Amino acid sequence: MFRLPVERLDELFAMVSAAQTLYIPADGKDSRAHYTKWEEGIKLSNALNTVRSAKDFFFPQTTNLCDFNKKDKEIEIIDNRTESEDFVVFGVRACDTRSFTILDKVFLVDPVDSYYATRREHGTVVTLACTEPEETCFCGVFGIDAASPEGDAACWIADGYLYITANTEKGEKFISLVSSLLEESSDEAVEAQKKATAEIMSRLPFNDIDTSYFRKNTLLEIFNSDHWKKLSEACIGCGTCTFVCPTCQCYDIKDYDTGCGIKRYRTWDSCMYSDFTKTAGGNPRTSQVERFRQRFMHKLVYFPDNNNEEFGCVGCGRCISRCPISMNIVKVIKTFGEVQ
Amino acid sequence: MLNETLIPKVGVITDIRIDTPDVKTFRVVGTDGKKLFEHIPGQCAMVSVPGVGEGMFSITSSPTNTEFMEFSIKRCGCLTTVLHALEEGQQITVRGPYGNGFPVEDPEKLKGKDLLFVAGGIGLAPLRSVINYVRDKRENYGKVQIVYGSRSKDDLVDYKEILDEWMATPDFDVYLTIDREQEGWDGHVGFVPNYVKELTPDLGKTVLMCGPPVMIKFTLAGLKELGFKETQVFTTMELRMKCAIGKCGRCNIGNKYVCKDGPVFSFDQLSELPSEY
Ligand SMILES: Cc1cc2nc3c(=O)[nH]c(=O)nc-3n(C[C@H](O)[C@H](O)[C@H](O)COP(=O)(O)OP(=O)(O)OC[C@H]3O[C@@H](n4cnc5c(N)ncnc54)[C@H](O)[C@@H]3O)c2cc1C
Ligand code: SF4
Ligand code: SF4
Ligand code: FES
C-alpha cells in the first residue's frame, strides 16, 4: 500500500497526464460529475458517481467501423482503425469497474470485437472506493464490494491521504509512473474505512433484495409471468435506462454518406425502442410490454444463463435515479421476489 | 491489428438470374475471382450496398460449389430494392459466414438419414444449399423427398434447376404445388401443409423446413399428428440482425442469439424458448 497527501493529488494528475491521457470525474456546469480530460485546474469531483457510466471509454456511443469509397461499379473498403493511445481512467467506482468484466464477456468472446479490445488493452482503470454509498446503490447484491473496488489499481481517500495499491501489472505500471510522489504506508486507515463503508452498505434499503427467483424458476415461467404487463404499464420507452446503464451493450450499425465517401459507424441502440426488432415481415415485440420484458429478462435470466450465473446488472442505481416514471430493475426484482 | 469481422470484403456480382417477379439470384465471387469464403449449408452472410445498408441472406449455393457463392434475394424493402437494380460486374460487400448451419455431418440428425425438405416461397433459399450438398454427397444420405410450394407457378424459385437437376437425380422425389389453379399448370394445387400430410412421409425421416410462419406452423402440426417427433424437425429462424455475431443484442429468442446459435433450430429446442418471433 502506498499513499500521498490529498493536497498533492494535482501533482499526481499532472505526472500521469504528462505520460498518458487522463480522465477523472469532475463537476460540470450542471454541478454533476462527468468524466473529463484532466488538465491544470480540473478537480476531482466529490460526487458518488458520474452521470454517464464509464463504459464510454471502451464502448463509446459511436464508433467508426470503416469507410467506403464507391466509383462506378467498384467499392474500396477503408479500414481506418488506428492503434489507440494509452490512457488512464481514474476514480472509477466498484460497480462501473465490474461492468467492464460483464462487457468483456460480450465483446471479448470469439469473434473478438477489435474496437473494444484495443481500447481495453490501452486503458488503465484506477478505481476509487466509495465511502458514502447512496440509497439507490445495490452493488452488494451482485457480490461487488464498494469499499474494495477491482480494477488495475485501487484507491481509497481516507484521513487526508490517497491510498493506492495495484491489482494487475498495468496497475503496477501506473504506480511506478507516479512512485516519486508516493510513500509506503500501512493499510490501517483503509481497513478502518472498509469497515465503516460496509456498515453503511448494510443499512441501505436495497442491500438485501433477493434475486434468487430468477435462478430458481425456468426461463419460460418468468417470461410468461403476468407481472410484466403491470410493471411495464407506465414505461414510455424513452431508452434512458439503457443509455445510462454501464452493462447495456445493444448497438446499431448505420451508413452515412458524407458526400465524399461513406462512413459506416455503430451507435448505441436500445431494446426499449419500438423499431429495434422491426422487419419487413413484422415485429416480434409489438408493444412496450415485450420490449420492457426483454431488457430485464436479458439482465436477470438470459445473461446469467449464458455466463455462469452472473447477472447483467452491477447495481449502480443509475436507472433508478434517471427513469422518468420511476420504474427500475429493483422494482422488477422485488415484484418477482415477493411472490416466491 | 486484430482481424475484424464487422469489416466486410468486396464481392463482385458475376451473374444475375431472374427467378420470379420479386426474387433474383446473385452469383458472387471475390475481387480475385475466387470464392469469398467456405461455409456450411444453412449458414448466412451479411450482404451490403455501402450507403444503403446491410442485410442477412442465406448462402443458397452449396459448399460443394468451389467456384462461387449465390444469394437468392426477395425484393421487399430498401436494401433489397437497390440490390435488385444492380447489374453484373457491380461490386457489393459481403461478410460471413455466420450462424450454425444444418447439422449435415451429424449421424444422429442428418447424415445417413432419409430426408424430407419442406419449403415455401423464398424459404427454399437456405434449403437449396443442403439439397445440392446432399446431391453432391449422394452416398452419405438416404432417400430425398422435396415438397415445395408457392403462390403461383411464376413464384417458384430455382424452377429450372428443380426440373432439370433435382427431378433427374436418383432417389430424389420432388413434389411441387401452387396455392391456386393456374393456366399452364397441371401439377398439384393446394397448400404445402396439406400436401405434406397427403404424402404420409415415412416416420424415420429427418425433416428440414423453411418458409412463411403459417406454413411452418401447420406443417409442424401435421407432422406431429403423423407421429414425427420435434427432435426430427429442423427449421431456420429469421429475426432482424445487425452484427451477426451475437453482440448487438438484436436477434435473441430467449437466451439464444439467432445469428450465432441459429438460424437453424430443431423444434424441441424452440419449444424451450419463448415464442417471441
Ligand atoms: C438468418 C436470415 C436469413 C435470411 N435469408 C434470406 C434469403 O436467403 N433471401 C432473402 O430474400 N431474404 C433473406 N432474409 C431476409 C432479409 O434479411 C431481409 O429481407 C432484408 O434484410 C430486408 O432488407 P430491406 O432493406 O430490403 O428491407 P427493409 O424493410 O427496408 O429493412 C429495414 C430493416 O429491417 C431489416 N429487415 C427487414 N426485413 C427483414 C427480415 N425479414 N429479416 C431480417 N431483417 C429484416 C433490414 O435488414 C433493415 O435493417 C434473411 C434474414 C435472416 C435473419
Ligand atoms: S440495470 Fe440499472 S442498476 Fe443495473 S447496472 Fe444498469 S443502470 Fe445500473
Ligand atoms: S428509463 Fe424508464 S420509461 Fe424510459 S425506457 Fe427505461 S424503464 Fe421505460
Ligand atoms: S444480429 Fe447482433 S446479436 Fe444477433
Side-chain angles (χ1 to χ4, degrees):
Chain A
M1 186 78 57
F2 299 92
R3 70 176 190 180
L4 138 130
V6 172
E7 310 85 70
R8 299 188 63 190
L9 253 181
D10 271 346
E11 284 173 58
L12 179 130
F13 292 155
M15 194 172 272
V16 176
S17 81
Q20 296 179 16
T21 312
L22 166 70
Y23 300 90
I24 67 166
D27 292 334
K29 290 202 185 84
D30 58 356
S31 320
R32 296 195 296 201
H34 304 271
Y35 282 101
T36 312
K37 189 172 158 184
W38 187 86
E39 49 194 56
E40 203 60 56
I42 301 282
K43 295 275 174 245
L44 184 67
S45 168
N46 285 322
L48 178 65
N49 214 343
T50 49
V51 175
R52 290 169 69 123
S53 85
K55 78 174 169 190
D56 297 48
F57 289 104
F58 303 111
F59 177 48
Q61 192 158 1
T62 60
T63 307
N64 180 203
L65 298 178
C66 61
D67 295 345
F68 302 95
N69 277 325
K70 291 209 277 192
K71 202 170 145 249
D72 302 324
K73 288 184 167 179
E74 292 188 1
I75 295 174
E76 183 194 2
I77 300 175
I78 303 151
D79 176 358
N80 53 16
R81 290 175 297 161
T82 45
E83 261 316 308
S84 76
E85 287 173 3
D86 288 345
F87 63 95
V88 175
V89 199
F90 181 94
V92 184
R93 298 299 188 181
C95 52
D96 283 8
T97 310
R98 178 65 66 81
S99 80
F100 306 147
T101 342
I102 290 176
L103 293 176
D104 286 352
K105 289 181 178 150
V106 177
F107 290 118
L108 297 185
V109 295
D110 188 49
V112 170
D113 184 292
S114 66
Y115 309 92
Y116 178 87
T118 311
R119 285 167 182 276
R120 279 293 267 153
E121 203 182 302
H122 287 274
T124 301
V125 177
V126 182
T127 57
L128 183 57
C130 302
T131 51
E132 291 173 332
E134 286 172 359
E135 288 191 338
T136 51
C137 296
F138 58 108
C139 56
V141 170
F142 304 107
I144 299 166
D145 184 355
S148 322
E150 297 157 348
D152 294 312
C155 298
W156 293 260
I157 294 180
D159 298 344
Y161 284 91
L162 177 93
Y163 291 84
I164 182 164
T165 182
N167 295 328
T168 68
E169 218 170 282
K170 263 195 219 165
E172 274 163 20
K173 265 200 187 144
F174 176 84
I175 289 181
S176 62
L177 180 68
V178 294
S179 58
S180 60
L181 297 173
L182 304 177
E183 62 178 10
E184 233 171 301
S185 137
S186 85
D187 58 1
E188 239 167 82
V190 167
E191 290 307 318
Q193 184 187 80
K194 282 186 190 169
K195 264 202 200 116
T197 309
E199 170 63 28
I200 301 173
M201 287 303 296
S202 70
R203 281 186 272 120
L204 292 178
F206 304 147
N207 180 54
D208 55 358
I209 55 170
D210 185 0
T211 54
S212 62
Y213 181 90
F214 298 92
R215 301 316 301 151
K216 282 202 301 238
N217 293 277
T218 67
L219 185 156
L220 283 179
E221 271 165 346
I222 306 168
F223 184 92
N224 291 322
S225 160
D226 295 333
H227 289 310
W228 297 114
K229 195 157 186 294
K230 190 117 196 72
L231 284 166
S232 64
E233 227 159 39
C235 174
I236 56 171
C238 65
T240 303
C241 52
T242 56
F243 290 119
V244 296
C245 178
T247 67
C248 272
Q249 107 278 333
C250 289
Y251 66 76
D252 194 4
I253 297 178
K254 290 228 186 269
D255 287 1
Y256 178 70
D257 196 336
T258 62
C260 50
I262 292 153
K263 292 210 156 300
R264 177 163 292 173
Y265 57 95
R266 73 145 153 241
T267 63
W268 292 352
D269 202 348
S270 173
C271 61
M272 285 292 201
Y273 291 158
S274 58
D275 61 356
F276 188 68
T277 49
K278 191 163 161 271
T279 72
N283 193 341
R285 299 191 196 124
T286 47
S287 78
Q288 200 57 26
V289 183
E290 288 99 47
R291 293 166 212 139
F292 183 94
R293 174 172 59 192
Q294 164 64 20
R295 178 162 195 268
F296 297 101
M297 285 297 286
H298 182 216
K299 297 217 181 305
L300 299 171
V301 182
Y302 307 154
F303 192 85
D305 278 355
N306 294 328
N307 294 282
N308 292 325
E309 308 286 311
E310 182 170 8
F311 288 107
C313 170
V314 295
C316 72
R318 285 188 180 85
C319 60
I320 302 178
S321 49
R322 294 279 168 261
C323 174
I325 57 126
S326 301
M327 183 33 73
N328 56 65
I329 194 163
V330 170
K331 284 191 183 165
V332 172
I333 295 171
K334 282 182 142 181
T335 302
F336 279 92
E338 273 158 18
V339 295
Q340 50 185 310
Chain B
M1 192 65 73
L2 280 165
N3 182 38
E4 177 54 63
T5 181
L6 293 178
I7 300 179
K9 295 189 166 94
V10 175
V12 188
I13 298 174
T14 55
D15 182 67
I16 302 172
R17 187 174 77 223
I18 300 173
D19 276 306
T20 79
D22 58 10
V23 177
K24 285 186 179 182
T25 297
F26 298 82
R27 192 169 282 187
V28 178
V29 297
T31 45
D32 57 0
K34 296 200 182 114
K35 221 161 96 167
L36 279 163
F37 44 76
E38 299 301 322
H39 73 284
I40 300 166
Q43 280 190 310
C44 304
M46 277 295 211
V47 174
S48 162
V49 177
V52 181
E54 241 182 350
M56 190 75 138
F57 298 93
S58 305
I59 305 168
T60 188
S61 51
S62 161
T64 47
N65 180 329
T66 53
E67 289 163 32
F68 52 79
M69 227 182 258
E70 281 183 334
F71 300 97
S72 289
I73 296 179
K74 182 171 169 164
R75 179 165 33 84
C76 63
C78 187
L79 171 68
T80 49
T81 301
V82 172
L83 283 167
H84 270 238
L86 298 182
E87 294 168 1
E88 282 170 25
Q90 174 69 49
Q91 296 189 341
I92 54 173
T93 73
V94 184
R95 58 183 176 95
Y98 296 126
N100 56 355
F102 285 97
V104 284
E105 295 301 328
D106 186 336
E108 300 277 296
K109 291 168 178 163
L110 259 79
K111 199 168 180 180
K113 303 267 184 206
D114 289 344
L115 304 173
L116 166 63
F117 293 91
V118 183
I122 186 70
L124 188 65
L127 296 186
R128 179 176 170 241
S129 179
V130 195
I131 292 170
N132 283 328
Y133 184 83
V134 169
R135 275 186 73 229
D136 289 337
K137 301 194 178 258
R138 209 52 216 100
E139 66 285 4
N140 289 346
Y141 300 90
K143 290 203 182 81
V144 170
Q145 214 173 11
I146 301 168
V147 184
Y148 179 40
S150 67
R151 271 173 305 177
S152 74
K153 175 174 173 286
D154 311 306
D155 290 298
L156 290 164
V157 181
D158 305 305
Y159 193 43
K160 202 171 162 346
E161 179 173 288
I162 296 172
L163 294 186
D164 296 351
E165 298 181 33
W166 297 359
M167 286 191 171
T169 307
D171 278 334
F172 260 55
D173 290 321
V174 185
Y175 303 88
L176 300 178
T177 181
I178 60 174
D179 291 356
R180 270 171 293 279
E181 298 278 358
Q182 190 184 7
E183 251 192 62
W185 177 262
D186 53 10
H188 189 274
V189 175
F191 295 117
V192 167
N194 295 335
Y195 200 12
V196 171
K197 259 179 97 175
E198 280 167 33
L199 291 168
T200 55
D202 189 272
L203 291 183
K205 285 186 155 70
T206 294
V207 187
L208 296 84
M209 179 154 69
C210 209
V214 272
M215 183 207 91
I216 305 250
K217 188 173 156 203
F218 288 108
T219 310
L220 179 70
L223 288 169
K224 279 165 102 174
E225 259 174 57
L226 290 171
F228 279 87
K229 291 197 281 298
E230 287 188 330
T231 46
Q232 280 172 276
V233 189
F234 294 84
T235 191
T236 67
M237 302 306 294
E238 206 175 290
L239 272 87
R240 184 156 178 187
M241 296 183 177
K242 283 286 174 179
C243 69
I245 47 173
K247 302 193 198 289
C248 77
R250 197 169 303 262
C251 69
N252 69 299
I253 301 176
N255 56 18
K256 298 272 183 277
Y257 286 110
V258 173
C259 64
K260 188 174 115 239
D261 307 312
V264 178
F265 293 94
S266 59
F267 279 95
D268 62 309
Q269 285 177 302
L270 289 176
S271 69
E272 286 167 17
L273 296 173
S275 51
E276 200 174 38
Y277 41 79

